[in-house]
Amino acid sequence: MVQQAALLILEPIFESDFLDSSYGFRPKRDAHDALAEIRGHLGNGYQAVYDADLKSYFDTIEHRKLLACVRYRIADRSVVKLIRLWLEAKVVEPGEGGPGRKNRCGTPQGGVITPLTQRKLLVQGQNMAHGNFLCLGVHDHFLHQQADDLSSFS
């Protein structure tokens, strides 16, 4: 319940950072919406499609970098600390038993707030990718993001 309460407060703050072409784990957006937009781009003559899947992205997110992104938008230290504690919650693997081990990287699977924290760091990468296309002189392109999958159309 605490994660859900935090999500209700944090999600509108973080939503303003996301590009319109980001569809993964967002309110009122889903894969069907992304596919409809992609079909529109293809129908408008865009032919070059570049697709990328970030391997093990959610398992390898550095807590330090993610928390820096959170601190950029959230000034309340107690909220940032709460998110850090969720990220570092002990993990008990099947068959291991015992007290578990501290989670040193990645985001916990199944947490209510997990998709929001994952998206917060992904938006940094999406903005960098968009900037890289502009640096390459590709101004007429569209970048779509669904979870850890990115597609670009030009």
Side-chain angles (χ1 to χ4, degrees):
M1 282 196 314
V2 175
Q3 282 192 12
Q4 184 64 43
L7 180 68
L8 291 173
I9 293 168
L10 296 175
E11 192 165 51
I13 296 169
F14 290 162
E15 266 301 305
S16 64
D17 294 338
F18 302 134
L19 298 175
D20 287 339
S21 58
S22 175
Y23 289 90
F25 307 115
R26 290 186 64 191
K28 300 178 185 168
R29 290 173 176 252
D30 60 23
H32 297 287
D33 297 325
L35 287 172
E37 190 168 343
I38 288 169
R39 279 189 205 101
H41 295 320
L42 295 174
N44 289 330
Y46 290 88
Q47 297 176 357
V49 179
Y50 306 95
D51 189 52
D53 181 17
L54 306 176
K55 184 178 179 185
S56 301
Y57 173 72
F58 301 124
D59 297 331
T60 59
I61 291 175
E62 292 183 42
H63 293 170
R64 179 184 51 81
K65 289 181 180 179
L66 175 56
L67 290 169
C69 290
V70 169
R71 276 192 294 274
Y72 184 75
R73 297 289 276 144
I74 306 299
D76 188 330
R77 288 187 197 144
S78 62
V79 173
V80 175
K81 180 179 179 181
L82 189 58
I83 293 172
R84 181 180 56 79
L85 291 172
W86 285 329
L87 290 171
E88 295 175 350
K90 289 190 176 186
V91 176
V92 178
E93 296 290 342
E96 282 184 6
R101 61 175 168 75
K102 190 174 181 179
N103 191 17
R104 301 210 180 275
C105 68
T107 56
Q109 300 298 314
V112 173
I113 202 159
T114 297
L116 180 67
T117 57
Q118 293 168 342
R119 284 193 326 258
K120 185 60 188 148
L121 197 55
L122 272 172
V123 76
Q124 303 298 109
Q126 190 177 16
N127 289 339
M128 285 176 24
H130 179 70
N132 286 340
F133 276 102
L134 295 177
C135 288
L136 293 172
V138 180
H139 296 279
D140 193 18
H141 79 282
F142 295 92
L143 185 65
H144 294 275
Q145 178 256 322
Q146 174 74 27
D148 62 346
D149 297 307
L150 300 170
S151 298
S152 177
F153 298 81
S154 57

